[in-house]
Amino acid sequence: MPTDTFTVTGNNKYDYWLVNGRRDWAVIPSGTITGFDEDLPIRLQVGHAGFGQIHIEKRHRHWLRKINKSLQEVLALKLAQPGTIYSTEEDRKIKIAMRLSPDALLILRLTPHRYGNFLTVVSLYIRNGKLDGDILGRYCSSFKN
Protein backbone atom coordinates (compact mmCIF):
# COMPACT_ATOMS: atom_id res chain seq x y z
CA MET A 1 0.00 0.00 0.00
CA PRO A 2 1.52 3.36 -1.00
CA THR A 3 2.11 5.87 1.77
CA ASP A 4 0.92 9.44 1.67
CA THR A 5 3.39 12.30 1.35
CA PHE A 6 2.87 15.49 3.35
CA THR A 7 4.34 18.89 2.50
CA VAL A 8 3.60 22.42 3.63
CA THR A 9 3.30 25.56 1.49
CA GLY A 10 4.86 27.88 4.09
CA ASN A 11 4.82 28.86 7.75
CA ASN A 12 2.10 31.53 7.71
CA LYS A 13 -1.04 30.61 9.67
CA TYR A 14 -3.04 30.52 6.43
CA ASP A 15 -0.58 28.31 4.55
CA TYR A 16 -1.68 24.78 3.78
CA TRP A 17 -0.50 21.29 4.49
CA LEU A 18 -0.71 19.21 1.32
CA VAL A 19 -1.42 15.50 1.10
CA ASN A 20 0.07 13.94 -2.03
CA GLY A 21 0.41 17.45 -3.49
CA ARG A 22 -3.28 18.38 -2.88
CA ARG A 23 -4.64 21.18 -0.68
CA ASP A 24 -7.95 19.34 -0.44
CA TRP A 25 -7.60 16.36 1.90
CA ALA A 26 -11.23 15.31 1.38
CA VAL A 27 -14.54 16.78 0.24
CA ILE A 28 -17.97 16.82 1.82
CA PRO A 29 -20.26 16.67 -1.21
CA SER A 30 -23.01 19.22 -1.80
CA GLY A 31 -26.28 18.24 -0.14
CA THR A 32 -24.66 16.12 2.59
CA ILE A 33 -25.57 18.79 5.14
CA THR A 34 -28.78 20.82 4.84
CA GLY A 35 -27.93 24.40 3.88
CA PHE A 36 -24.59 23.51 2.28
CA ASP A 37 -25.29 23.58 -1.45
CA GLU A 38 -21.70 23.32 -2.66
CA ASP A 39 -18.93 20.76 -2.38
CA LEU A 40 -16.81 21.69 0.63
CA PRO A 41 -13.14 20.67 0.56
CA ILE A 42 -11.46 19.93 3.87
CA ARG A 43 -8.05 21.57 4.31
CA LEU A 44 -5.39 21.62 7.01
CA GLN A 45 -3.78 24.99 7.59
CA VAL A 46 -0.66 25.73 9.64
CA GLY A 47 -2.84 27.79 11.98
CA HIS A 48 -1.91 29.06 15.42
CA ALA A 49 -2.71 28.27 19.06
CA GLY A 50 -6.45 28.37 18.28
CA PHE A 51 -6.72 26.17 15.16
CA GLY A 52 -4.93 23.98 12.65
CA GLN A 53 -1.68 22.07 12.80
CA ILE A 54 -0.09 24.21 15.52
CA HIS A 55 -3.15 23.97 17.78
CA ILE A 56 -3.52 20.20 17.40
CA GLU A 57 0.17 19.43 17.87
CA LYS A 58 0.31 21.64 20.96
CA ARG A 59 -2.97 20.70 22.67
CA HIS A 60 -3.21 17.03 21.68
CA ARG A 61 0.41 15.94 21.30
CA HIS A 62 0.01 13.37 24.10
CA TRP A 63 -2.62 11.54 22.02
CA LEU A 64 -0.50 11.67 18.87
CA ARG A 65 2.47 10.26 20.78
CA LYS A 66 0.32 7.53 22.34
CA ILE A 67 -0.86 6.30 18.93
CA ASN A 68 2.63 6.88 17.44
CA LYS A 69 1.44 8.86 14.42
CA SER A 70 1.97 12.37 13.11
CA LEU A 71 -1.00 14.71 12.92
CA GLN A 72 -0.90 14.44 9.14
CA GLU A 73 -0.97 10.62 9.24
CA VAL A 74 -3.92 10.60 11.67
CA LEU A 75 -5.86 13.18 9.66
CA ALA A 76 -5.40 11.23 6.40
CA LEU A 77 -6.47 8.03 8.17
CA LYS A 78 -9.54 9.60 9.76
CA LEU A 79 -10.68 11.39 6.59
CA ALA A 80 -10.67 8.05 4.76
CA GLN A 81 -13.18 6.69 7.31
CA PRO A 82 -16.93 7.30 7.59
CA GLY A 83 -18.34 9.41 10.39
CA THR A 84 -21.38 11.21 11.75
CA ILE A 85 -21.61 14.98 11.29
CA TYR A 86 -22.93 16.99 14.25
CA SER A 87 -23.83 20.63 14.80
CA THR A 88 -21.87 22.79 17.22
CA GLU A 89 -22.66 25.90 19.24
CA GLU A 90 -21.26 28.00 16.36
CA ASP A 91 -23.11 28.22 13.03
CA ARG A 92 -19.92 28.06 10.95
CA LYS A 93 -18.54 24.97 12.71
CA ILE A 94 -19.34 21.29 12.47
CA LYS A 95 -17.85 18.24 14.11
CA ILE A 96 -17.42 14.75 12.73
CA ALA A 97 -17.28 11.76 15.06
CA MET A 98 -15.18 8.98 13.57
CA ARG A 99 -15.52 5.79 15.57
CA LEU A 100 -13.05 3.46 13.84
CA SER A 101 -9.93 2.99 15.96
CA PRO A 102 -8.65 5.33 17.14
CA ASP A 103 -11.91 7.11 18.02
CA ALA A 104 -11.61 10.78 17.14
CA LEU A 105 -13.55 13.99 16.89
CA LEU A 106 -12.74 16.33 14.01
CA ILE A 107 -13.77 20.00 14.37
CA LEU A 108 -14.13 21.97 11.12
CA ARG A 109 -14.95 25.64 10.45
CA LEU A 110 -16.49 26.98 7.25
CA THR A 111 -14.02 29.43 5.74
CA PRO A 112 -15.30 31.81 3.06
CA HIS A 113 -12.75 32.29 0.30
CA ARG A 114 -12.93 34.24 -2.94
CA TYR A 115 -11.84 31.17 -4.93
CA GLY A 116 -14.25 28.81 -3.19
CA ASN A 117 -15.34 28.14 0.35
CA PHE A 118 -13.73 25.32 2.31
CA LEU A 119 -13.70 23.69 5.73
CA THR A 120 -10.53 24.27 7.70
CA VAL A 121 -9.44 21.82 10.37
CA VAL A 122 -9.79 23.49 13.76
CA SER A 123 -8.97 20.48 15.92
CA LEU A 124 -8.66 16.71 15.99
CA TYR A 125 -8.49 14.68 19.17
CA ILE A 126 -9.47 11.45 20.87
CA ARG A 127 -13.12 11.36 21.74
CA ASN A 128 -15.46 8.57 22.60
CA GLY A 129 -18.83 8.55 24.25
CA LYS A 130 -21.95 10.60 23.67
CA LEU A 131 -21.74 13.89 21.80
CA ASP A 132 -23.92 16.94 22.07
CA GLY A 133 -25.41 18.63 19.02
CA ASP A 134 -27.84 17.58 16.33
CA ILE A 135 -26.94 14.97 13.76
CA LEU A 136 -26.62 16.80 10.43
CA GLY A 137 -25.57 13.98 8.13
CA ARG A 138 -23.16 11.19 7.36
CA TYR A 139 -19.57 11.84 6.33
CA CYS A 140 -18.06 9.74 3.56
CA SER A 141 -15.02 11.13 1.80
CA SER A 142 -15.20 11.53 -1.95
CA PHE A 143 -11.38 11.20 -2.24
CA LYS A 144 -9.50 7.95 -2.38
CA ASN A 145 -5.84 8.26 -1.45
PDB file of all heavy atoms in Angstrom, residues 33 36 84-97 105-110 122 125 131-136:
ATOM      1  N   ILE A  33     -25.075  18.055   3.981  1.00  0.00           N
ATOM      2  CA  ILE A  33     -25.569  18.791   5.143  1.00  0.00           C
ATOM      3  C   ILE A  33     -26.577  19.815   4.635  1.00  0.00           C
ATOM      4  O   ILE A  33     -26.284  20.577   3.709  1.00  0.00           O
ATOM      5  CB  ILE A  33     -24.418  19.531   5.860  1.00  0.00           C
ATOM      6  CG1 ILE A  33     -23.308  18.557   6.250  1.00  0.00           C
ATOM      7  CG2 ILE A  33     -24.941  20.285   7.071  1.00  0.00           C
ATOM      8  CD1 ILE A  33     -22.039  19.253   6.720  1.00  0.00           C
ATOM      9  N   PHE A  36     -25.873  23.460   2.967  1.00  0.00           N
ATOM     10  CA  PHE A  36     -24.591  23.515   2.277  1.00  0.00           C
ATOM     11  C   PHE A  36     -24.808  23.010   0.858  1.00  0.00           C
ATOM     12  O   PHE A  36     -24.888  21.808   0.625  1.00  0.00           O
ATOM     13  CB  PHE A  36     -23.530  22.666   3.008  1.00  0.00           C
ATOM     14  CG  PHE A  36     -23.102  23.246   4.321  1.00  0.00           C
ATOM     15  CD1 PHE A  36     -23.782  22.942   5.485  1.00  0.00           C
ATOM     16  CD2 PHE A  36     -22.015  24.107   4.385  1.00  0.00           C
ATOM     17  CE1 PHE A  36     -23.378  23.481   6.697  1.00  0.00           C
ATOM     18  CE2 PHE A  36     -21.609  24.649   5.596  1.00  0.00           C
ATOM     19  CZ  PHE A  36     -22.304  24.340   6.753  1.00  0.00           C
ATOM     20  N   THR A  84     -20.101  10.517  11.566  1.00  0.00           N
ATOM     21  CA  THR A  84     -21.378  11.207  11.745  1.00  0.00           C
ATOM     22  C   THR A  84     -21.099  12.686  11.963  1.00  0.00           C
ATOM     23  O   THR A  84     -20.264  13.042  12.801  1.00  0.00           O
ATOM     24  CB  THR A  84     -22.141  10.623  12.954  1.00  0.00           C
ATOM     25  OG1 THR A  84     -22.305   9.217  12.752  1.00  0.00           O
ATOM     26  CG2 THR A  84     -23.508  11.273  13.094  1.00  0.00           C
ATOM     27  N   ILE A  85     -21.799  13.528  11.209  1.00  0.00           N
ATOM     28  CA  ILE A  85     -21.611  14.978  11.286  1.00  0.00           C
ATOM     29  C   ILE A  85     -22.612  15.552  12.282  1.00  0.00           C
ATOM     30  O   ILE A  85     -23.809  15.262  12.203  1.00  0.00           O
ATOM     31  CB  ILE A  85     -21.815  15.635   9.909  1.00  0.00           C
ATOM     32  CG1 ILE A  85     -20.871  15.014   8.870  1.00  0.00           C
ATOM     33  CG2 ILE A  85     -21.623  17.154  10.001  1.00  0.00           C
ATOM     34  CD1 ILE A  85     -21.170  15.426   7.435  1.00  0.00           C
ATOM     35  N   TYR A  86     -22.103  16.361  13.217  1.00  0.00           N
ATOM     36  CA  TYR A  86     -22.929  16.991  14.250  1.00  0.00           C
ATOM     37  C   TYR A  86     -22.827  18.511  14.164  1.00  0.00           C
ATOM     38  O   TYR A  86     -21.802  19.048  13.742  1.00  0.00           O
ATOM     39  CB  TYR A  86     -22.445  16.586  15.648  1.00  0.00           C
ATOM     40  CG  TYR A  86     -22.699  15.156  16.014  1.00  0.00           C
ATOM     41  CD1 TYR A  86     -21.803  14.155  15.650  1.00  0.00           C
ATOM     42  CD2 TYR A  86     -23.827  14.795  16.746  1.00  0.00           C
ATOM     43  CE1 TYR A  86     -22.023  12.834  16.006  1.00  0.00           C
ATOM     44  CE2 TYR A  86     -24.054  13.471  17.101  1.00  0.00           C
ATOM     45  CZ  TYR A  86     -23.149  12.499  16.730  1.00  0.00           C
ATOM     46  OH  TYR A  86     -23.369  11.193  17.073  1.00  0.00           O
ATOM     47  N   SER A  87     -23.866  19.170  14.662  1.00  0.00           N
ATOM     48  CA  SER A  87     -23.831  20.628  14.797  1.00  0.00           C
ATOM     49  C   SER A  87     -22.975  20.983  16.010  1.00  0.00           C
ATOM     50  O   SER A  87     -22.682  20.140  16.860  1.00  0.00           O
ATOM     51  CB  SER A  87     -25.249  21.171  14.984  1.00  0.00           C
ATOM     52  OG  SER A  87     -25.809  20.687  16.206  1.00  0.00           O
ATOM     53  N   THR A  88     -22.582  22.252  16.063  1.00  0.00           N
ATOM     54  CA  THR A  88     -21.866  22.788  17.225  1.00  0.00           C
ATOM     55  C   THR A  88     -22.591  24.047  17.676  1.00  0.00           C
ATOM     56  O   THR A  88     -23.568  24.473  17.054  1.00  0.00           O
ATOM     57  CB  THR A  88     -20.401  23.136  16.902  1.00  0.00           C
ATOM     58  OG1 THR A  88     -20.382  24.262  16.025  1.00  0.00           O
ATOM     59  CG2 THR A  88     -19.658  21.965  16.288  1.00  0.00           C
ATOM     60  N   GLU A  89     -22.062  24.665  18.722  1.00  0.00           N
ATOM     61  CA  GLU A  89     -22.658  25.899  19.235  1.00  0.00           C
ATOM     62  C   GLU A  89     -22.458  27.066  18.276  1.00  0.00           C
ATOM     63  O   GLU A  89     -23.131  28.080  18.373  1.00  0.00           O
ATOM     64  CB  GLU A  89     -22.092  26.220  20.624  1.00  0.00           C
ATOM     65  CG  GLU A  89     -20.604  26.527  20.663  1.00  0.00           C
ATOM     66  CD  GLU A  89     -19.677  25.314  20.507  1.00  0.00           C
ATOM     67  OE1 GLU A  89     -20.124  24.155  20.608  1.00  0.00           O
ATOM     68  OE2 GLU A  89     -18.479  25.532  20.256  1.00  0.00           O
ATOM     69  N   GLU A  90     -21.524  26.941  17.331  1.00  0.00           N
ATOM     70  CA  GLU A  90     -21.261  28.001  16.356  1.00  0.00           C
ATOM     71  C   GLU A  90     -21.825  27.599  14.994  1.00  0.00           C
ATOM     72  O   GLU A  90     -21.608  26.473  14.541  1.00  0.00           O
ATOM     73  CB  GLU A  90     -19.757  28.249  16.224  1.00  0.00           C
ATOM     74  CG  GLU A  90     -19.137  28.868  17.450  1.00  0.00           C
ATOM     75  CD  GLU A  90     -17.673  29.172  17.239  1.00  0.00           C
ATOM     76  OE1 GLU A  90     -17.307  29.678  16.147  1.00  0.00           O
ATOM     77  OE2 GLU A  90     -16.887  28.895  18.160  1.00  0.00           O
ATOM     78  N   ASP A  91     -22.487  28.507  14.324  1.00  0.00           N
ATOM     79  CA  ASP A  91     -23.108  28.223  13.030  1.00  0.00           C
ATOM     80  C   ASP A  91     -22.112  27.807  11.955  1.00  0.00           C
ATOM     81  O   ASP A  91     -22.431  27.025  11.088  1.00  0.00           O
ATOM     82  CB  ASP A  91     -23.894  29.435  12.519  1.00  0.00           C
ATOM     83  CG  ASP A  91     -25.169  29.681  13.324  1.00  0.00           C
ATOM     84  OD1 ASP A  91     -25.627  28.749  14.010  1.00  0.00           O
ATOM     85  OD2 ASP A  91     -25.682  30.810  13.267  1.00  0.00           O
ATOM     86  N   ARG A  92     -20.907  28.352  12.006  1.00  0.00           N
ATOM     87  CA  ARG A  92     -19.919  28.062  10.951  1.00  0.00           C
ATOM     88  C   ARG A  92     -19.071  26.829  11.237  1.00  0.00           C
ATOM     89  O   ARG A  92     -18.188  26.507  10.470  1.00  0.00           O
ATOM     90  CB  ARG A  92     -19.001  29.265  10.752  1.00  0.00           C
ATOM     91  CG  ARG A  92     -19.706  30.443  10.125  1.00  0.00           C
ATOM     92  CD  ARG A  92     -18.798  31.602   9.863  1.00  0.00           C
ATOM     93  NE  ARG A  92     -17.408  31.318  10.187  1.00  0.00           N
ATOM     94  CZ  ARG A  92     -16.388  32.061   9.836  1.00  0.00           C
ATOM     95  NH1 ARG A  92     -16.592  33.150   9.159  1.00  0.00           N
ATOM     96  NH2 ARG A  92     -15.155  31.748  10.169  1.00  0.00           N
ATOM     97  N   LYS A  93     -19.327  26.156  12.360  1.00  0.00           N
ATOM     98  CA  LYS A  93     -18.538  24.974  12.708  1.00  0.00           C
ATOM     99  C   LYS A  93     -19.394  23.719  12.682  1.00  0.00           C
ATOM    100  O   LYS A  93     -20.592  23.762  12.954  1.00  0.00           O
ATOM    101  CB  LYS A  93     -17.940  25.104  14.110  1.00  0.00           C
ATOM    102  CG  LYS A  93     -16.723  25.968  14.195  1.00  0.00           C
ATOM    103  CD  LYS A  93     -16.131  25.866  15.594  1.00  0.00           C
ATOM    104  CE  LYS A  93     -14.925  26.751  15.756  1.00  0.00           C
ATOM    105  NZ  LYS A  93     -14.409  26.703  17.138  1.00  0.00           N
ATOM    106  N   ILE A  94     -18.736  22.609  12.356  1.00  0.00           N
ATOM    107  CA  ILE A  94     -19.337  21.290  12.472  1.00  0.00           C
ATOM    108  C   ILE A  94     -18.307  20.376  13.125  1.00  0.00           C
ATOM    109  O   ILE A  94     -17.130  20.715  13.207  1.00  0.00           O
ATOM    110  CB  ILE A  94     -19.771  20.697  11.111  1.00  0.00           C
ATOM    111  CG1 ILE A  94     -18.569  20.548  10.165  1.00  0.00           C
ATOM    112  CG2 ILE A  94     -20.900  21.506  10.490  1.00  0.00           C
ATOM    113  CD1 ILE A  94     -18.862  19.755   8.900  1.00  0.00           C
ATOM    114  N   LYS A  95     -18.777  19.246  13.595  1.00  0.00           N
ATOM    115  CA  LYS A  95     -17.850  18.244  14.112  1.00  0.00           C
ATOM    116  C   LYS A  95     -18.227  16.905  13.506  1.00  0.00           C
ATOM    117  O   LYS A  95     -19.392  16.648  13.193  1.00  0.00           O
ATOM    118  CB  LYS A  95     -17.848  18.203  15.633  1.00  0.00           C
ATOM    119  CG  LYS A  95     -19.195  18.002  16.269  1.00  0.00           C
ATOM    120  CD  LYS A  95     -19.104  18.232  17.766  1.00  0.00           C
ATOM    121  CE  LYS A  95     -20.495  18.273  18.369  1.00  0.00           C
ATOM    122  NZ  LYS A  95     -20.491  18.728  19.742  1.00  0.00           N
ATOM    123  N   ILE A  96     -17.211  16.080  13.298  1.00  0.00           N
ATOM    124  CA  ILE A  96     -17.419  14.751  12.731  1.00  0.00           C
ATOM    125  C   ILE A  96     -16.852  13.734  13.713  1.00  0.00           C
ATOM    126  O   ILE A  96     -15.658  13.782  14.033  1.00  0.00           O
ATOM    127  CB  ILE A  96     -16.742  14.587  11.361  1.00  0.00           C
ATOM    128  CG1 ILE A  96     -17.222  15.663  10.381  1.00  0.00           C
ATOM    129  CG2 ILE A  96     -17.024  13.189  10.800  1.00  0.00           C
ATOM    130  CD1 ILE A  96     -16.518  15.630   9.029  1.00  0.00           C
ATOM    131  N   ALA A  97     -17.712  12.848  14.187  1.00  0.00           N
ATOM    132  CA  ALA A  97     -17.278  11.760  15.062  1.00  0.00           C
ATOM    133  C   ALA A  97     -16.913  10.580  14.180  1.00  0.00           C
ATOM    134  O   ALA A  97     -17.720  10.127  13.363  1.00  0.00           O
ATOM    135  CB  ALA A  97     -18.403  11.381  16.022  1.00  0.00           C
ATOM    136  N   LEU A 105     -12.591  12.947  17.206  1.00  0.00           N
ATOM    137  CA  LEU A 105     -13.545  13.994  16.886  1.00  0.00           C
ATOM    138  C   LEU A 105     -12.792  15.049  16.080  1.00  0.00           C
ATOM    139  O   LEU A 105     -11.743  15.546  16.506  1.00  0.00           O
ATOM    140  CB  LEU A 105     -14.122  14.615  18.159  1.00  0.00           C
ATOM    141  CG  LEU A 105     -15.265  15.598  17.941  1.00  0.00           C
ATOM    142  CD1 LEU A 105     -16.478  14.881  17.352  1.00  0.00           C
ATOM    143  CD2 LEU A 105     -15.647  16.256  19.256  1.00  0.00           C
ATOM    144  N   LEU A 106     -13.325  15.351  14.919  1.00  0.00           N
ATOM    145  CA  LEU A 106     -12.743  16.334  14.011  1.00  0.00           C
ATOM    146  C   LEU A 106     -13.627  17.577  14.032  1.00  0.00           C
ATOM    147  O   LEU A 106     -14.830  17.477  13.781  1.00  0.00           O
ATOM    148  CB  LEU A 106     -12.676  15.751  12.597  1.00  0.00           C
ATOM    149  CG  LEU A 106     -12.175  16.652  11.479  1.00  0.00           C
ATOM    150  CD1 LEU A 106     -10.728  17.057  11.711  1.00  0.00           C
ATOM    151  CD2 LEU A 106     -12.313  15.935  10.141  1.00  0.00           C
ATOM    152  N   ILE A 107     -13.045  18.727  14.342  1.00  0.00           N
ATOM    153  CA  ILE A 107     -13.770  20.002  14.366  1.00  0.00           C
ATOM    154  C   ILE A 107     -13.360  20.790  13.129  1.00  0.00           C
ATOM    155  O   ILE A 107     -12.167  20.988  12.870  1.00  0.00           O
ATOM    156  CB  ILE A 107     -13.438  20.823  15.636  1.00  0.00           C
ATOM    157  CG1 ILE A 107     -13.572  19.989  16.902  1.00  0.00           C
ATOM    158  CG2 ILE A 107     -14.288  22.091  15.687  1.00  0.00           C
ATOM    159  CD1 ILE A 107     -14.952  19.487  17.202  1.00  0.00           C
ATOM    160  N   LEU A 108     -14.356  21.233  12.368  1.00  0.00           N
ATOM    161  CA  LEU A 108     -14.129  21.969  11.124  1.00  0.00           C
ATOM    162  C   LEU A 108     -14.876  23.297  11.158  1.00  0.00           C
ATOM    163  O   LEU A 108     -15.971  23.382  11.713  1.00  0.00           O
ATOM    164  CB  LEU A 108     -14.624  21.154   9.925  1.00  0.00           C
ATOM    165  CG  LEU A 108     -14.016  19.764   9.750  1.00  0.00           C
ATOM    166  CD1 LEU A 108     -14.800  18.959   8.736  1.00  0.00           C
ATOM    167  CD2 LEU A 108     -12.564  19.876   9.335  1.00  0.00           C
ATOM    168  N   ARG A 109     -14.300  24.326  10.537  1.00  0.00           N
ATOM    169  CA  ARG A 109     -14.947  25.636  10.446  1.00  0.00           C
ATOM    170  C   ARG A 109     -15.074  26.033   8.984  1.00  0.00           C
ATOM    171  O   ARG A 109     -14.103  25.955   8.214  1.00  0.00           O
ATOM    172  CB  ARG A 109     -14.139  26.690  11.201  1.00  0.00           C
ATOM    173  CG  ARG A 109     -14.795  28.084  11.161  1.00  0.00           C
ATOM    174  CD  ARG A 109     -14.002  29.145  11.913  1.00  0.00           C
ATOM    175  NE  ARG A 109     -12.670  29.300  11.339  1.00  0.00           N
ATOM    176  CZ  ARG A 109     -11.534  29.109  12.014  1.00  0.00           C
ATOM    177  NH1 ARG A 109     -11.530  28.748  13.270  1.00  0.00           N
ATOM    178  NH2 ARG A 109     -10.379  29.284  11.412  1.00  0.00           N
ATOM    179  N   LEU A 110     -16.262  26.474   8.604  1.00  0.00           N
ATOM    180  CA  LEU A 110     -16.486  26.981   7.254  1.00  0.00           C
ATOM    181  C   LEU A 110     -15.690  28.258   7.068  1.00  0.00           C
ATOM    182  O   LEU A 110     -15.774  29.193   7.869  1.00  0.00           O
ATOM    183  CB  LEU A 110     -17.970  27.251   7.026  1.00  0.00           C
ATOM    184  CG  LEU A 110     -18.344  27.785   5.652  1.00  0.00           C
ATOM    185  CD1 LEU A 110     -18.000  26.765   4.563  1.00  0.00           C
ATOM    186  CD2 LEU A 110     -19.816  28.143   5.602  1.00  0.00           C
ATOM    187  N   VAL A 122     -10.016  22.737  12.531  1.00  0.00           N
ATOM    188  CA  VAL A 122      -9.789  23.489  13.757  1.00  0.00           C
ATOM    189  C   VAL A 122      -9.057  22.608  14.755  1.00  0.00           C
ATOM    190  O   VAL A 122      -8.051  23.000  15.331  1.00  0.00           O
ATOM    191  CB  VAL A 122     -11.114  24.002  14.362  1.00  0.00           C
ATOM    192  CG1 VAL A 122     -10.888  24.661  15.719  1.00  0.00           C
ATOM    193  CG2 VAL A 122     -11.807  24.948  13.397  1.00  0.00           C
ATOM    194  N   TYR A 125      -8.943  15.289  17.918  1.00  0.00           N
ATOM    195  CA  TYR A 125      -8.494  14.685  19.168  1.00  0.00           C
ATOM    196  C   TYR A 125      -9.301  13.442  19.489  1.00  0.00           C
ATOM    197  O   TYR A 125     -10.346  13.191  18.891  1.00  0.00           O
ATOM    198  CB  TYR A 125      -8.559  15.683  20.321  1.00  0.00           C
ATOM    199  CG  TYR A 125      -9.905  16.348  20.524  1.00  0.00           C
ATOM    200  CD1 TYR A 125     -10.846  15.810  21.395  1.00  0.00           C
ATOM    201  CD2 TYR A 125     -10.228  17.522  19.848  1.00  0.00           C
ATOM    202  CE1 TYR A 125     -12.076  16.434  21.592  1.00  0.00           C
ATOM    203  CE2 TYR A 125     -11.444  18.148  20.032  1.00  0.00           C
ATOM    204  CZ  TYR A 125     -12.369  17.596  20.908  1.00  0.00           C
ATOM    205  OH  TYR A 125     -13.573  18.207  21.088  1.00  0.00           O
ATOM    206  N   LEU A 131     -22.039  12.525  22.232  1.00  0.00           N
ATOM    207  CA  LEU A 131     -21.735  13.888  21.800  1.00  0.00           C
ATOM    208  C   LEU A 131     -22.981  14.747  21.869  1.00  0.00           C
ATOM    209  O   LEU A 131     -24.097  14.255  21.642  1.00  0.00           O
ATOM    210  CB  LEU A 131     -21.222  13.897  20.359  1.00  0.00           C
ATOM    211  CG  LEU A 131     -19.885  13.219  20.119  1.00  0.00           C
ATOM    212  CD1 LEU A 131     -19.600  13.132  18.639  1.00  0.00           C
ATOM    213  CD2 LEU A 131     -18.778  13.975  20.823  1.00  0.00           C
ATOM    214  N   ASP A 132     -22.796  16.023  22.136  1.00  0.00           N
ATOM    215  CA  ASP A 132     -23.924  16.937  22.065  1.00  0.00           C
ATOM    216  C   ASP A 132     -24.048  17.462  20.642  1.00  0.00           C
ATOM    217  O   ASP A 132     -23.164  17.268  19.821  1.00  0.00           O
ATOM    218  CB  ASP A 132     -23.765  18.076  23.070  1.00  0.00           C
ATOM    219  CG  ASP A 132     -22.522  18.917  22.825  1.00  0.00           C
ATOM    220  OD1 ASP A 132     -21.644  18.469  22.065  1.00  0.00           O
ATOM    221  OD2 ASP A 132     -22.420  20.011  23.391  1.00  0.00           O
ATOM    222  N   GLY A 133     -25.161  18.102  20.357  1.00  0.00           N
ATOM    223  CA  GLY A 133     -25.410  18.633  19.017  1.00  0.00           C
ATOM    224  C   GLY A 133     -26.361  17.742  18.247  1.00  0.00           C
ATOM    225  O   GLY A 133     -26.581  16.582  18.590  1.00  0.00           O
ATOM    226  N   ASP A 134     -26.925  18.310  17.205  1.00  0.00           N
ATOM    227  CA  ASP A 134     -27.844  17.576  16.330  1.00  0.00           C
ATOM    228  C   ASP A 134     -27.065  16.848  15.252  1.00  0.00           C
ATOM    229  O   ASP A 134     -26.068  17.363  14.744  1.00  0.00           O
ATOM    230  CB  ASP A 134     -28.829  18.543  15.656  1.00  0.00           C
ATOM    231  CG  ASP A 134     -29.729  19.249  16.657  1.00  0.00           C
ATOM    232  OD1 ASP A 134     -30.076  18.627  17.691  1.00  0.00           O
ATOM    233  OD2 ASP A 134     -30.063  20.425  16.414  1.00  0.00           O
ATOM    234  N   ILE A 135     -27.541  15.689  14.882  1.00  0.00           N
ATOM    235  CA  ILE A 135     -26.936  14.973  13.760  1.00  0.00           C
ATOM    236  C   ILE A 135     -27.358  15.677  12.471  1.00  0.00           C
ATOM    237  O   ILE A 135     -28.542  15.878  12.223  1.00  0.00           O
ATOM    238  CB  ILE A 135     -27.358  13.489  13.755  1.00  0.00           C
ATOM    239  CG1 ILE A 135     -26.788  12.788  14.984  1.00  0.00           C
ATOM    240  CG2 ILE A 135     -26.889  12.814  12.472  1.00  0.00           C
ATOM    241  CD1 ILE A 135     -27.214  11.331  15.124  1.00  0.00           C
ATOM    242  N   LEU A 136     -26.368  16.068  11.671  1.00  0.00           N
ATOM    243  CA  LEU A 136     -26.623  16.799  10.429  1.00  0.00           C
ATOM    244  C   LEU A 136     -26.500  15.927   9.188  1.00  0.00           C
ATOM    245  O   LEU A 136     -27.013  16.284   8.134  1.00  0.00           O
ATOM    246  CB  LEU A 136     -25.641  17.966  10.298  1.00  0.00           C
ATOM    247  CG  LEU A 136     -25.650  18.998  11.420  1.00  0.00           C
ATOM    248  CD1 LEU A 136     -24.565  20.037  11.188  1.00  0.00           C
ATOM    249  CD2 LEU A 136     -27.023  19.650  11.525  1.00  0.00           C
TER     250      LEU A 136
END
